[in-house]
Amino acid sequence: MLSLAEFQFTLAADLLDGGMRTARLLPGDPVMVKEALRVHRNTVLSGLANALRLGHPTVAWLTGEDFFDQAAHAFSANNPPHTACLTDYGDGFAAFLESYAPASGLPYLADVARFDHAIERCANAGFTAPILLALDRETAVELDASLVTLSAEYPVEQLRDACDSRDADSLEHLDMSPQARNYAIWRGKEGAAMRPLSMPSATFLGAVLRGETADAALAATLAHADPVDALASIRNEIFTAPFVRILSQPHGE
Amino acid sequence: MVRSLHRAAFNAWPISARAGIGLRIPHHARVIQERHVADWLEVHPENYMSAEPAAHDLEMIRKEHALSLHGVGLSLGSADGLCAAHLERLSHLIQRYAPGLISDHLSWSSIEGVHLPDLLPLPYTEEALQVVARNVDHAQTALKRNLLVENPSSYFQLSICSLSEAEFLGELVRRTGCGILLDINNIYVSAKNHGADPLSSLRAYLDAIPATSIDEIHLAGHTVERLEDGRDLRIDDHGSRVSQYVWQLYEATIGTIGARPTLIEWDTDIPDLRVLQAEASKAQAIMDEHWHQEQLYALAS
C-alpha cells in the first residue's frame, strides 16, 4: 500500500522534473493521469515563474516573456520555494542566470536580477526596529532596518529606469562597459529608494550592515582609500541620507 | 467541543449570509477609493504576509468591510505536518485583521520542506484522514479559531481511495469540529472530469456533510480544454464568469441548506470590479429569492 508521504514525495518530484513516476504508482486511465500531471505541473511552474517575474521586472522586460519563462522554469525545477509566501522567492536567481547558458550573451542580466530583487524586497519590507550604530560615546545613528548595499558592474539603475518607463530606445545610448557601481537600497516613505555610493561609502556601510562596529568599519574602509576623500564621502553619502537618523550630537558641534 | 470553543474565542466582524467578492491586489486602489464595494471581501493571506504596502492597504479596506482570510498555503494534507512559520504568519494576520472567517483547502502543497504553489490532490484513505484531522486540529489550536476546509477541484481519480471526497469531508467535520467551505464550481469540475453527474455529486456532498457545518460557499468560472482523444478536461482557473450549470447547482444548494456567505472568486484575467459585483449580485438574488420562497411557504402553512 502506497503511503501518503511516498505519494506526495513522488508527485512533487514529477511536477518539478517532468517525470511520470506517479502514473506508474496509480493504475487508471493513463490519458487522464498524464493530463492531470500536465495541469498541476503547469500551475506549479507558471505560479513560480509569475512570482519570479514580479520580483525581477527588469529582467523580465529585457529578456521577453518566452526567454524569461524558460529561465524561470529551469531555475524553479532545482530551486523550489520552501514557504507558501512567494513574495521573496528568487534568492539565487541572479547566481543561476550567471551560469545559465542561454543567457551567456547577456552578461549584465545577473546584476539586473540582484538589483531587481533588492528593490522589490525593500518595497515590500515591513517597518521594523532600526539598526543602532554607536559612533562614539555621545553620538549614535539609526539605520533603516530594510537597508542593504549592492554592487554591480553594469548600469542597473538606468536599465531599471528604462524598464519602469518602458523606454526601449534609451537602451541603445547606455554605456554598458563594466565598471564598479555601488548602491544603498532601502524602504522609503513611498516604496523602495536607492542612492548611488562611492566605493569608500559602500565599504563602510557594507561592514556596518554585516555587524561590525563603526570603528572597525572605518578602519576597513581607510585601509583601501584616501582618508580625506573617504571621510568626505561617508559624511556626504551616508550621514546625510534619508535612511540615517542621527540620535545625538556632541555638545558644541 | 472544538467548534464552540473556537467560535467563542474571537470578536470579529461576522460575515452574514450574503454575497461577497474575492479581493485581489490590482483592485486595492479602486476599493480604497470607493470605500465600500461589497458586503464582505475575501483575500489570500499569503499575499499579505511579506508585503507591507499591500498589508497596509488591507487595513484601510478592512475598516469598511467584513473580511475572510482564505489560505492557499497551510497544506492541511501534508504527511509531514504544518509549517510552524507559516502558521505564525497567519496567526499574526488574524490578530491584525480580525477576520470573520478563516479557510484553506483539502489538499497539500508541501513535502519535506519543498513548497509547490498548487492545491495538490490527496488520496482519500484512512491514513490521509488521520493526517488531515491532525493538521486541522493543530491549526485550530494554534490559531484559536475554527477553520473552514474547502473541497478542491480534481483532475486525478486516485484508485487508492477508500472514501469518497464527500465522505472524507463529513468524517473530517466529525473528528475535528471544523467547518466546510463548499466550492460549487469545484464539485462541477471534478464531477465532469471524472464522468459523474454534477447534480448527483452535489447531492452526495449535501448528504455526507452536516448542513450546519457548511459556513461558506465559493463560486467561480472554469475553462474547458478538448483533449487529443476528444474528451473534455475542465480546468478550475477562476478566469471567467460562473457557468450556467454551476449557477443551477448553487440554486439547488441554497434550496437545500439555505442561504450562506457566498463568494465570487476570480484569480486570472482579473476583470473590472463591476464584473465581480455583478456576479455577486446574481448570487445575492438567488439567496433573496430563496428567502422570499421561504416566507411565502411560512405564510401558506
Side-chain angles (χ1 to χ4, degrees):
Chain A
M1 180 72 178
L2 185 66
S3 74
L4 181 61
E6 188 182 0
F7 167 72
Q8 292 181 340
F9 185 79
T10 306
L11 180 53
D14 275 352
L15 296 180
L16 288 171
D17 69 13
M20 291 290 288
R21 287 151 292 207
T22 310
R24 286 195 290 276
L25 293 174
L26 299 171
D29 181 340
V31 174
M32 290 308 286
V33 170
K34 183 180 153 203
E35 291 300 329
L37 278 170
R38 179 182 62 82
V39 169
H40 284 298
R41 186 174 294 131
N42 182 53
T43 302
V44 168
L45 294 180
S46 62
L48 295 177
N50 284 335
L52 287 171
R53 185 176 283 109
L54 286 171
H56 302 84
T58 316
V59 176
W61 180 68
L62 289 169
T63 59
E65 190 169 350
D66 289 345
F67 184 100
F68 188 87
D69 279 348
Q70 286 175 20
H73 293 175
F75 172 74
S76 298
N78 292 308
N79 302 276
H82 302 293
T83 166
C85 184
L86 297 179
T87 313
D88 292 335
Y89 178 55
D91 277 344
F93 188 50
F96 165 83
L97 289 173
E98 279 176 338
S99 57
Y100 181 56
S104 59
L106 309 171
Y108 51 85
L109 216 50
D111 272 356
V112 175
R114 281 190 199 90
F115 192 69
D116 270 349
H117 199 52
I119 291 276
E120 297 301 324
R121 184 167 279 192
C122 285
N124 283 318
F127 293 108
T128 51
I131 301 161
L132 190 66
L133 177 68
L135 297 182
D136 56 37
R137 287 187 175 192
E138 294 159 323
T139 312
V141 295
E142 282 181 347
L143 301 172
D144 191 284
S146 66
L147 182 63
V148 293
T149 57
L150 184 136
S151 299
E153 288 192 329
Y154 293 93
V156 290
E157 179 188 355
Q158 288 86 349
L159 288 166
R160 173 111 182 172
D161 285 346
C163 169
D164 286 345
S165 54
R166 293 293 185 264
D167 181 8
D169 292 343
S170 67
L171 297 176
E172 289 178 19
H173 308 296
L174 281 184
D175 175 9
M176 296 296 287
S177 55
Q179 55 181 286
R181 296 169 166 91
N182 296 286
Y183 303 93
I185 302 169
W186 71 99
R187 183 188 167 167
K189 287 181 180 168
E190 295 178 7
M194 181 277 304
R195 166 176 279 210
L197 297 176
S198 62
M199 184 58 84
S201 295
T203 305
F204 177 80
L205 191 56
V208 165
L209 293 177
R210 284 194 300 274
E212 294 185 21
T213 64
D215 284 347
L218 194 58
T221 305
L222 298 183
H224 303 288
D226 174 77
V228 175
D229 289 348
L231 288 169
S233 295
I234 291 169
R235 184 172 57 244
N236 295 333
E237 295 171 7
I238 296 179
F239 290 109
T240 61
F243 56 75
V244 166
R245 191 162 78 95
I246 297 176
L247 295 179
S248 59
Q249 287 192 335
H251 295 297
E253 289 193 11
Chain B
M1 180 72 183
V2 173
R3 188 179 177 84
S4 58
L5 176 69
H6 289 153
R7 288 219 160 161
F10 68 91
N11 183 24
W13 187 344
I15 291 176
S16 57
R18 296 185 62 80
I21 58 179
L23 173 66
R24 302 297 174 254
I25 287 173
H27 284 146
H28 274 195
R30 178 86 172 271
V31 174
I32 291 169
Q33 183 188 10
E34 295 192 14
R35 293 177 64 101
H36 185 84
V37 299
D39 280 330
W40 60 284
L41 299 172
E42 185 167 277
V43 298
H44 294 315
E46 290 78 10
N47 291 341
Y48 301 87
M49 287 177 172
S50 184
E52 184 52 33
H56 179 71
D57 283 354
L58 190 59
E59 271 187 356
M60 286 193 280
I61 292 166
R62 173 70 178 86
K63 289 175 186 168
E64 306 291 336
H65 299 87
L67 186 71
S68 164
L69 295 184
H70 179 53
V72 293
L74 266 180
S75 194
L76 292 170
S78 279
D80 49 8
L82 302 182
C83 169
H86 188 78
L87 211 48
E88 192 175 325
R89 286 191 288 264
L90 182 57
S91 180
H92 179 74
L93 289 182
I94 290 168
Q95 289 171 32
R96 186 170 182 176
Y97 299 111
L101 294 170
I102 304 161
S103 54
D104 210 298
H105 299 80
L106 180 62
S107 64
W108 64 278
S109 311
S110 301
I111 187 74
E112 296 195 348
V114 167
H115 181 89
L116 303 174
D118 194 6
L119 304 168
L120 296 169
L122 281 166
Y124 298 128
T125 60
E126 176 57 32
E127 183 203 3
L129 183 56
Q130 288 178 18
V131 165
V132 177
R134 186 171 65 233
N135 289 341
V136 168
D137 264 343
H138 181 184
Q140 293 190 137
T141 303
L143 301 174
K144 300 184 178 68
R145 290 286 300 268
N146 186 240
L147 199 65
L148 309 188
V149 179
E150 177 183 337
N151 58 298
S153 54
S154 75
Y155 310 98
F156 279 110
Q157 199 159 26
L158 301 176
S159 54
I160 50 178
C161 294
S162 54
L163 296 164
S164 70
E165 187 172 283
E167 291 167 340
F168 192 98
L169 284 167
E171 186 59 20
L172 186 66
V173 169
R174 195 185 68 75
R175 292 189 189 186
T176 68
C178 72
I180 295 297
L181 192 173
L182 196 66
D183 190 312
I184 308 284
N185 181 58
N186 287 352
I187 291 176
Y188 181 81
V189 164
S190 298
K192 295 298 282 186
N193 283 345
H194 304 319
D197 171 51
L199 186 57
S200 300
S201 284
L202 174 68
R203 293 288 175 212
Y205 281 87
L206 298 181
D207 287 345
I209 300 167
T212 52
S213 70
I214 300 174
D215 289 333
E216 184 182 344
I217 291 173
H218 271 184
L219 297 170
H222 62 264
T223 53
V224 184
E225 262 190 37
R226 177 60 52 91
L227 303 181
E228 283 181 6
D229 65 4
R231 282 186 286 183
D232 286 339
L233 181 71
R234 281 165 176 78
I235 299 178
D236 175 38
D237 68 344
H238 296 186
S240 55
R241 291 177 187 273
V242 178
S243 85
Q244 59 169 320
Y245 307 108
V246 173
W247 281 121
Q248 289 166 9
L249 294 181
Y250 178 63
E251 286 190 49
T253 304
I254 297 301
T256 304
I257 66 171
R260 291 291 191 277
T262 300
L263 187 92
I264 301 298
E265 280 191 301
W266 205 311
D267 289 296
T268 55
D269 297 327
I270 296 172
D272 188 88
L273 196 58
R274 298 281 173 262
V275 175
L276 299 181
Q277 290 172 315
E279 291 284 274
S281 295
K282 286 177 75 172
Q284 190 60 56
I286 289 169
M287 284 191 278
D288 290 346
E289 174 63 20
H290 171 74
W291 187 83
H292 288 301
Q293 294 286 345
E294 280 200 326
Q295 299 308 305
L296 287 172
Y297 179 78
L299 279 175
S301 58

